[in-house]
Each structure stands twice: as C-alpha cells, then as structure tokens.
Amino acid sequence: MSVENIFAQILDRVRRATDALIAGGVLPAGIDQSRVAVEPPRDPAHGDMATNAAMVLAKEAGKKPRDLAEQIAEKLRGDDLVERVDVAGPGFINLTLKPAAWINALRTTVQLGLKYGQSDIGRGKPVNVEYVSANPTGPMHIGHCRGAVFGDALASLLAFTGFKVTREYYINDAGAQVDVLARSAFLRYREALDEDIGSIPEGLYPGDYLKPVGAALAAEYADTLRRQPEAQWLPLVRAKAIEMMMAAIRADLAALNVTHDVFYSERSLIAGGVDRVAETIEWLRARGYVYEGRLPPPKGAPVEDWEDREQTLFRSTSFGDDVDRALKKSDGSYTYFASDIAYHRSKIERGFQALIDVWGADHGGYIKRMQAAVAALSDRTAELDVKLIQLVKLLRAGEPVKMSKRAGDFVTLREVVDEVGRDAVRFMMLFRKNDAVLDFDLAKVIEQSRDNAVFYVQYGHARGQSVFRNARAVFSDLPADIAELAEIAPLELLSDPAELSLMRRIALYPRVVEGASLAHEPHRIAFYLFDLASEFHALWTLGNASPHLRFIIQDDRQTTAARLVLVQGVVTVIASGLALLGVDAPNEMR
RNA sequence: GCGCUCGUAGCUCAGCUGGAUAGAGCAUCAGACUUCGAAUCUGAGGGUCGGGAGUUCGAAUCUCUCCGAGCGCGCCA
C-alpha cells in the first residue's frame, strides 16, 4: 500500500478504531475485517469518504449496524485528518476530511512527481505477461494491435505497482503454418529469379510482403535452391522467412512502442536433440495426468472424417475442463496444445507463479485446458489469468474500411499507425474494456474535440503546461523548481469547491492505479484520465465567468502560486497515467 | 447440443470486484467567447440495468433459469 494513498491512510485509521473496540471488548477478537473498505461515496454530499465497516462487522459481532457505526464513529472523531463523522443510511460511516488532508495529499503528489501513484502492492512478485505472439507468417494487422497495446500497458501497470514483470512473446515457429510460409516464400524466390509464377495458388500466402524474402533468398543462394528437392530447401527457406517476418513484426511493434523482454521460440522446445514436449508429457504421465484413451465424438457440428481411436490425452477434466484433450495428432506429431503445455512449463520453471496470457477472443474455448495444464504442472500453485481481447471493427467516418489487397487482404497495423499516429491507436485501444468489441474510427480519432478522448486528455496536459508558460511571464520570481514551489505556496488558499473537488480527484489516482493493476484492467486508467481532464477543463472555463478563479491572478502572487501547484498536480497525474498507457503527454497541441 | 464472452439512456460505452437517488460522451433542446487557447464549458430531457426467481442489512455486480448476440467445439495455430 502506498504511503500517498489517502484512502489507504483512512482505512488504517478505521482499523485503529475497530481494533480499539476489540480491545474494549465491544467487538470479538479475531473478527474478520477483510471486507472493511474505504471508498469515495457516489454522492459528494455524503462527504469525502465512506466506510462500510459497521455493516460488514455487525453480523459477526451480533450488533445492529447503526449502533456499531456510532461506536466506530465516536473513535474516529478527533482524528487529526478527520473533520466530521456522520452515520447514515443502513450504517455507513461518512467521513469529511479536514482541508489540510487534501492539501497535504496535493503537496505530496507534486513533490513525488512521476513517482506519484507507484506502490509496492506487488511486493516484487514475478509476473510473466505474454502478449502479441502473432504467427511469424506476415506483418502485424489491426487485429493484433489491440492485444499488443493491452499487454504492453498491463505490463507497465504491474511494474508501476511493484510486480517484477517479464514481457514475453511466444513465436509459433514450429507448426504447419510456417511450412506454408516457406512454400510461399519459395514461390517469391523463383519469381525473384525471373520465373513466371502466375497467380499464387490457393492455400499459400499471397501478400506482397514475401517478395523481399524471395529477393533475399535469391541474393543468398542464387538458383541453387531451385534445383533441390523440397525436403532440402524447406528448412533453409523457412528459417530465412521466419527471421525476416519476425524482424518485420518487431519493427511494427516498435512503431507502436510495444516492447518485449523475451522472445520464446516454439521450435526451441524441440531443438538441439532435446524434446521438451515429450519430456513434459512424460512428466505429466508419471503423475497420472496423461493416459492413452478414447474421446467421444464432438456433439453438434458433425466431424466428417471422425474415426474413433485411442490417443494420448491430458486429463484436463481433473481441473474443471469439459473433456480431456488430445496431445498427439493421428500422424504421431504433437498438437499445438502439447507444445503450449511445454512452453508454460518453462515459464513455471523460470520461477513464475503468476502468469498472464493475452489472447484473441476466438481462443476463449482454450482457456480451461490451459489453466488445467498450469495447475497440473505447478501442483496447483501457479495461477494463469487469460485476458481475452475482443475484435476491433475498423471504420472511417462510420463506414467499414476495406482490406488492402497488396498486404494480403488485411489492414496492416503500420497503415493505421501511419495514418492516425501511435498515441491515438494506443489510447483508443485502451479506452474500452478488453472483452468488449471496439469500434475504431480512423476519422474520429484525429478529430480535435471532446468526442475524441485522446485529444481531450492530451489537451488537458497541454493546457496545464501553458499556464506555467504564462505564469512565468507574470511572476518571473516564482521558483522554477516545482517541489520548492509546493513547499512555499499557501495551499490553504485553494478553497473553492471546484478546486477541492479537483484535489480529491487527484488523490484518487493511486487507488485507481492499484485497482486497475490488481484487476488486470488498464482501461480504468484511461477512463480516470478522461474524468480528470474533464474536471480540469471545467475549472479552467470557470475562470471566464469568475475572473477570481483564474489560475493566474495578476496582483496576487500567493494565490497564483497555490493554483500553480494544483495545476501541477493535474499535469503530473495526466503525464503519469498517459505514460502507463504508453501515450505521449504533449506540452502544446500545435 | 455443450462451453466461453457479452446484453446498462435513441447511439457508443463506464460503473472502482456487493453499497446510498445507476453515470459519461455523441445526438436533441437551451445557454456562455473584449479569454490564462471557446480545440472549452454550463444546464435540460432521456433508464423495468434483456425477462423472471434466489442469496442478505443492500444486487447492474453473486447463484439459478429463460430470451437474444458473438466466438469456439479431436488430427488449425
């Protein structure tokens, strides 16, 4: 819990009050206090904070909630941070804090700067976040983009809250699809040797992006490959194609500022004479989780070439899955699931007990078996959270965007980033819950209006910075160092309801960050920033009708100094939140 | 047929892991620019939280059951 989280501070005071009641025999010793919470009330008229302590504890204590609330309230009265305590409704304890509490919180915010909102709730626990993991068979398309941004932001958020994060990409470079890639590249290789290849046959990748691969192969091997049988050239062409596709993918990710610490190759699981997949299967078999058996045919949609046969199965039903899952295909090779188990075993062996996988929504049916595998591999100690990322519908002014033929019938990530910019892409991808379908309108996201959340938040930051530029022109003697300014500024002059409300919003940030981190929901940061910007813009406009509420008061150095600290609080939090999302916080909008 | 994810204002969506009278944006209507950039702001109308039942002090949130949408359902990854 971070020291600057004022909600945590107040929860601590509530704990002291209930502990005192336990000591006094009013509450039973050992009562479960885990559900006691302190949160901002929906209605500001109820005060600054409310706690449910009395309602949560009443039953076990055998007391009426209202009576217990009164006793807790009595203990809280006289607290140095608390101005007023009221008992309301079914037993809420409403707290109104002294202005000094908010003033201190603001001062702390500004002095901590970009460290504000950090916490140690992760306690250094290693977390592995796997995201993107797009097949190396072509450039990134818009469908990959959302998962990439989500995973990247989630990783940043976890790191900010004290987890030891590893960002990981699983390269699917071992399945049949990379052989298809190799054959497709081989065609382009022949094309590069001036052969007429006609149209690309059905089943191969048609995109132009393989032409450079063909050219590179021609430069490297001249026409030697062409005279070899496929079994000979395929591994060479495949390796080259994968290498070049991964380079393209890394470049695409770089354009989005998405980074990874580890690129883990599926092929490496079975390379160098060590078969880690077989090892893992035997490891599981020794523990009774793998057996030879038969599966019932799938219900519903009939499978045409279904044959009932004995196969190697993983006992995922022991961990809540509906059926056991096949580990080998009929030709004896491993299923994708088998390698994926071996891959997740490597994560566990590398010391991760907390795993997060970011997948496309079409993989939803895969979650249970993978969680089952992780449970089996770790003796139920490791936890896998799978975040499903829903579809992105790409629009332009309300109309669906058509595919680009050259890229191979999909819109590439690069095209979109080039058109609307990285910030718009990143913010909008996070301005929705991960499991909700997202409409991404290319025309809307570059609009400069409130309807465009990216612009609106960035503009808030730029506006804040412009106040400082203007203030320096008026009061050149104010300290340039913001921490020093916060030290000397008479913050008690910030007494207007709109100012206090903004201070409360700023104080909410660490709580939002913690909640978003624990829930693995980075979108909460984006929505919070929108609300913060909104409140800041409103206060700004108040200055039009009420000149005494402007940030810079020509003949009042003290008030100006105090308000600059408030503006800095807003600027700091917007910059911090945008940084978590990987979005720039511009000093001016041009 | 089974499983997963959803269903909240006319539209697009939040709702802080069970809290008080369910909130924003867009759209509609009515307002605010001799400004610290109005690229903004203020106000109004608009809801059976898909329907029903249950759990408890209290449910949009948890459970069950219907209705509807999307995704998935040995040898694709």
Side-chain angles (χ1 to χ4, degrees), chain A residues 91-171:
Chain A
F92 284 102
I93 301 169
N94 291 331
L95 305 170
T96 304
L97 303 194
K98 291 182 176 166
W102 299 112
I103 285 166
N104 289 337
L106 176 63
R107 188 172 279 125
T108 306
T109 301
V110 166
Q111 287 172 341
L112 285 173
L114 290 178
K115 287 198 166 74
Y116 177 63
Q118 272 185 11
S119 75
D120 62 353
I121 51 170
R123 305 203 172 284
K125 183 179 185 184
V127 183
N128 183 291
V129 188
E130 181 207 331
Y131 52 102
V132 188
S133 298
N135 292 339
T137 54
M140 301 260 302
H141 56 78
I142 189 67
H144 298 122
C145 165
R146 190 173 177 193
V149 172
F150 178 91
D152 193 60
L154 176 57
S156 299
L157 185 56
L158 290 168
F160 196 60
T161 47
F163 291 90
K164 189 166 179 290
V165 179
T166 296
R167 302 156 177 260
E168 192 149 319
Y169 186 121
Y170 182 47
I171 309 173

Side-chain angles (χ1 to χ4, degrees), chain A residues 74-348:
Chain A
E74 198 45 49
K75 296 281 181 195
L76 286 168
R77 290 191 181 106
D79 188 289
D80 58 339
L81 290 175
V82 177
E83 180 151 293
R84 227 181 62 219
V85 185
D86 302 302
V87 175
F92 284 102
I93 301 169
N94 291 331
L95 305 170
T96 304
L97 303 194
K98 291 182 176 166
W102 299 112
I103 285 166
N104 289 337
L106 176 63
R107 188 172 279 125
T108 306
T109 301
V110 166
Q111 287 172 341
L112 285 173
L114 290 178
K115 287 198 166 74
Y116 177 63
Q118 272 185 11
S119 75
D120 62 353
I121 51 170
R123 305 203 172 284
K125 183 179 185 184
V127 183
N128 183 291
V129 188
E130 181 207 331
Y131 52 102
V132 188
S133 298
N135 292 339
T137 54
M140 301 260 302
H141 56 78
I142 189 67
H144 298 122
C145 165
R146 190 173 177 193
V149 172
F150 178 91
D152 193 60
L154 176 57
S156 299
L157 185 56
L158 290 168
F160 196 60
T161 47
F163 291 90
K164 189 166 179 290
V165 179
T166 296
R167 302 156 177 260
E168 192 149 319
Y169 186 121
Y170 182 47
I171 309 173
N172 298 136
D173 53 3
Q177 85 286 353
V178 286
D179 290 345
V180 173
L181 172 74
R183 294 190 189 100
S184 311
F186 190 70
L187 266 186
R188 296 300 187 181
Y189 158 71
R190 285 164 48 200
E191 185 182 42
L193 295 173
D194 292 329
E195 205 175 308
D196 180 12
I197 58 167
S199 59
I200 308 291
E202 194 71 18
L204 294 186
Y205 298 114
D208 280 2
Y209 58 82
L210 285 175
K211 283 183 178 173
V213 180
L217 288 167
E220 191 171 340
Y221 295 102
D223 66 342
T224 56
L225 296 178
R226 192 159 50 176
R227 287 175 278 133
Q228 296 172 354
E230 176 175 303
Q232 213 169 340
W233 59 251
L234 189 125
L236 301 172
V237 173
R238 186 177 58 201
K240 187 72 185 176
I242 290 171
E243 178 200 324
M244 290 184 71
M245 288 304 103
M246 280 310 298
I249 287 172
R250 284 175 197 243
D252 287 348
L253 291 172
L256 258 186
N257 262 3
V258 170
T259 61
H260 291 87
D261 304 312
V262 175
F263 285 83
Y264 196 99
S265 157
E266 178 184 2
R267 191 165 286 278
S268 73
L269 290 168
I270 48 169
V274 189
D275 189 337
R276 306 239 328 139
V277 181
E279 265 180 31
T280 302
I281 290 176
E282 291 318 307
W283 189 91
L284 287 169
R285 193 193 298 276
R287 282 154 186 81
Y289 295 132
V290 168
Y291 66 103
E292 304 299 317
R294 292 169 189 278
L295 284 181
K299 305 270 197 296
V303 178
E304 278 156 35
D305 56 349
W306 170 265
E307 61 167 309
D308 185 31
R309 62 177 185 84
E310 193 168 78
Q311 52 189 340
T312 306
L313 298 171
F314 170 62
R315 205 180 292 281
S316 49
T317 47
S318 297
F319 302 91
D321 200 0
D322 313 313
V323 289
D324 292 337
R325 303 292 176 175
L327 297 174
K328 280 186 176 176
K329 305 176 193 171
S330 56
D331 66 0
S333 63
Y334 302 118
T335 59
Y336 178 78
F337 181 46
S339 339
D340 220 0
I341 295 176
Y343 169 50
H344 280 77
R345 187 181 181 212
S346 105
K347 292 186 187 176
I348 292 166

